[in-house]
Amino acid sequence: MSAPLPIVAIVGRPNVGKSTLFNRFAGHKRALVEDQPGVTRDRIAEEVEVEGRRVLLVDTAGLDPAADSAIASAVQDQVREAIAGADAILFVVDGQAGLLPQEQELAAELRKSTRPVLVAVNKIDAPVHAGRTLDFHALGLGPIRAVSGEHGSGAWDALEELVAALPAGSAPGGEADGALRVAIVGRPNVGKSSLLNRLAGAERVVVSDVPGTTRDAIDVQLEVDGHRHVFVDTAGLRRAGRRDRHVERGSALMTVRAIERAEVALVLMDAGEGITDQDLRVLSLVRERGCACALVVNKWDVVEKRDDPGDIRFLDDAIERRLRPMSDTPVIRISALTGRGLGRVLPLARRLGAAARIRIPTSALNRWLTDCVERHEPAMASKGVRKRPIKFFYATQTEATPPTFLLFCTDPKAIQAHYRRFLENRLRETFDLAGVPVRLRLRRRSEDRHE
Ligand code: GDP
């Protein structure tokens, strides 16, 4: 699998302009050129390329609105999490509001961190106001840079400077020792800890905590019937009571970090509450980051207890409707409380893992491609006044986890989004890749080239 990207967290008090900066960076240079269908525009993490280096920017308040509330402790937690989980931290302050006592407290936490930190003094919209950065030297953190999220001035330079301070090489943690790397993700309180503890508590399971391979990561290794699974980044998930209270279970940062290191993500939701926007954001993020995934509908006992068939139908319909843009996602119902459905969880994870690691021979791919074009011809490409059919030549797989394919055709730009989706869906159907994100890269080859 590809190595995890370094994570740059954007932290700060509410209303200092974190989201404006996040969106500006995201719009500046998105490393992922191809749009993934079914992915919401409302992002938590964004892959950007800074001076040739790819990093993941994370909007730390992205999954938990409370983290961006006026509650001081929520911001404090957000900063502690960034210290625990990020590789670099962009600390955003408000140049118009000046330095606030709360920021002194946050800085005290940040000074303990060994990760690179840059203070971005935002809302410096005109050069004459540059002097407003001076106040912030009292934070005892550096470097301090004036930026304007609104106008963009200084912003990209500040990010470049921060990324340049990252240690060379990628973040560790993409260890490929054959064990299946699984992440249990979802918003807080959906039952992630309960599920992990149930799985780890089952008979014929060998559990071992693998000491921090990356930063403060704690991985749990489970061996079941000869199959090895590594549950990545479980800090806060194992053994309730001993969990680190600073690590929020289900925060944007922890979710991003775990899926960067995993091949398969089990996205948990709470059946009692129904499928929420936040659940969909987690699912979209997981797919966008190339992790194979299933939706695990937990707390099924709650729905069953209501004993209302209409209620169950309503829940199923809502899930089906909201999953439509990613309708291949496998869905299972479980109860971490009663144990219902738990026996299906690991086999499903293994099936997804095997599918994500697939290597499809070029000959089989080309049969698939011929079949696709026969079923559904791509629309014509307009060349000046003359319209010409788009011709596909061949396809080949370049990577696994996620499976990535290169398709050569006469006019990649003319291929429409719906045709790309058709190809992806046919690929999933033909090669049994439900739940696995596939990447199609279209390359141009001219028709009269002889090879
Ligand atoms: P996490 O934040 O996602 O790790 O969630 P926890 O595992 O801490 O669970 C949150 C709450 O939901 C706890 O009170 C659990 O006992 C409860 N819970 C977890 N799974 C189930 C379930 O399947 N059914 C019911 N009724 N409650 C559950």
Side-chain angles (χ1 to χ4, degrees):
M1 63 185 281
S2 46
L5 294 181
I7 292 172
V8 177
I10 305 183
V11 300
R13 293 188 298 110
N15 289 318
V16 290
K18 297 186 296 295
S19 308
T20 316
L21 278 168
F22 177 80
N23 291 329
R24 179 163 284 283
F25 292 141
H28 190 282
K29 258 180 213 166
R30 287 194 52 205
L32 279 176
V33 260
E34 285 112 319
D35 256 343
Q36 298 299 315
V39 165
T40 60
R41 306 263 36 123
D42 198 9
R43 287 160 190 279
I44 300 157
E46 190 75 51
E47 183 176 332
V48 292
E49 199 169 312
V50 185
E51 293 278 285
R53 187 148 182 205
R54 290 185 307 138
V55 299
L56 258 185
L57 273 181
V58 179
D59 176 4
T60 48
L63 268 189
D64 183 9
D68 210 24
S69 69
I71 309 163
S73 64
V75 183
Q76 204 89 22
D77 285 350
Q78 181 203 81
V79 166
R80 288 197 184 118
E81 254 180 59
I83 292 170
D87 297 286
I89 298 163
L90 190 72
F91 181 30
V92 185
V93 294
D94 183 335
Q96 287 179 7
L99 179 59
L100 299 190
Q102 191 193 356
E103 282 162 344
Q104 295 273 24
E105 287 166 31
L106 298 178
E109 297 283 339
L110 286 168
R111 282 198 300 270
K112 293 184 213 152
S113 165
T114 52
R115 329 266 183 239
V117 176
L118 185 138
V119 182
V121 185
N122 192 26
K123 308 192 189 174
I124 308 283
D125 301 334
V128 291
H129 295 142
R132 291 180 180 165
T133 56
L134 293 175
D135 273 4
F136 294 96
H137 287 277
L139 292 173
L141 291 167
I144 295 176
R145 298 290 175 254
V147 305
S148 166
E150 204 92 337
H151 303 154
S153 58
W156 190 260
D157 289 344
L159 182 63
E160 270 181 13
E161 190 172 345
L162 180 60
V163 170
L166 277 170
S170 63
E175 310 87 316
D177 60 356
L180 180 67
R181 308 182 64 79
V182 185
I184 298 183
V185 295
R187 57 198 181 81
N189 285 316
V190 290
K192 299 181 295 298
S193 313
S194 310
L195 173 62
L196 181 65
N197 288 317
R198 281 300 289 242
L199 291 173
E203 284 172 57
R204 306 212 317 274
V205 169
V206 183
V207 184
S208 57
D209 288 352
V210 188
T213 38
T214 90
R215 314 171 201 122
D216 312 308
I218 298 177
D219 296 343
V220 173
Q221 197 159 327
L222 287 190
E223 199 170 315
V224 184
D225 299 335
H227 299 285
R228 289 195 303 134
H229 316 76
V230 173
F231 286 84
V232 299
D233 275 297
T234 57
L237 287 192
R238 277 261 356 259
R239 289 182 302 252
R242 270 184 55 190
R243 67 170 64 118
D244 180 348
R245 64 186 180 86
H246 301 321
V247 180
E248 184 50 64
R249 296 153 298 144
S251 73
L253 200 63
M254 292 303 155
T255 306
V256 169
R257 199 170 106 157
I259 60 181
E260 275 303 287
R261 299 183 54 229
E263 296 158 272
V264 173
L266 301 173
V267 179
L268 260 66
M269 61 165 270
D270 180 337
E273 294 188 0
I275 188 160
T276 66
D277 288 348
Q278 303 289 68
D279 298 326
L280 287 166
R281 294 180 78 189
V282 178
L283 269 171
S284 300
L285 176 71
V286 164
R287 289 178 69 107
E288 190 182 300
R289 298 304 307 149
C291 231
C293 71
L295 178 66
V296 179
V297 187
N298 188 32
K299 308 197 189 180
W300 194 259
D301 57 298
V302 175
V303 182
E304 255 171 352
K305 216 183 289 163
R306 290 182 197 149
D307 200 21
D308 175 356
D311 191 41
I312 293 180
R313 212 174 315 120
F314 184 78
L315 175 65
D316 282 343
D317 286 351
I319 291 175
E320 198 203 295
R321 182 166 35 83
R322 303 211 65 184
L323 277 190
R324 213 161 275 157
M326 30 192 166
S327 57
D328 59 290
T329 310
V331 179
I332 55 168
R333 301 164 171 185
I334 67 158
S335 166
L337 189 73
T338 65
R340 181 201 153 122
L342 287 190
R344 282 154 56 209
V345 175
L346 293 180
L348 174 61
R350 288 198 294 270
R351 187 172 68 63
L352 284 165
R357 290 177 182 181
I358 198 171
R359 291 274 176 192
I360 306 173
T362 301
S363 55
L365 268 180
N366 285 315
R367 277 197 300 278
W368 159 79
L369 186 59
T370 310
D371 176 68
C372 284
V373 177
E374 272 170 14
R375 277 166 191 261
H376 183 7
E377 251 188 83
M380 305 273 208
S382 342
K383 280 260 156 27
V385 277
R386 221 153 48 96
K387 281 200 160 192
R388 302 203 306 169
I390 299 167
K391 197 169 161 195
F392 277 94
F393 298 100
Y394 65 96
T396 182
Q397 183 174 0
T398 53
E399 281 166 63
T401 52
T404 305
F405 304 89
L406 201 54
L407 273 64
F408 290 88
C409 67
T410 44
D411 197 349
K413 288 205 179 76
I415 301 284
Q416 290 169 348
H418 75 87
Y419 198 75
R420 186 186 269 274
R421 263 195 307 279
F422 159 74
L423 291 175
E424 283 186 15
N425 291 338
R426 286 296 306 157
L427 195 61
R428 286 208 188 88
E429 280 163 29
T430 313
F431 300 104
D432 253 346
L433 300 177
V436 179
V438 292
R439 303 257 189 270
L440 298 185
R441 307 234 141 93
L442 301 173
R443 291 280 176 279
R444 195 183 133 75
R445 227 203 72 178
S446 66
E447 212 164 345
D448 44 9
R449 196 157 131 198
H450 300 288
E451 277 180 330

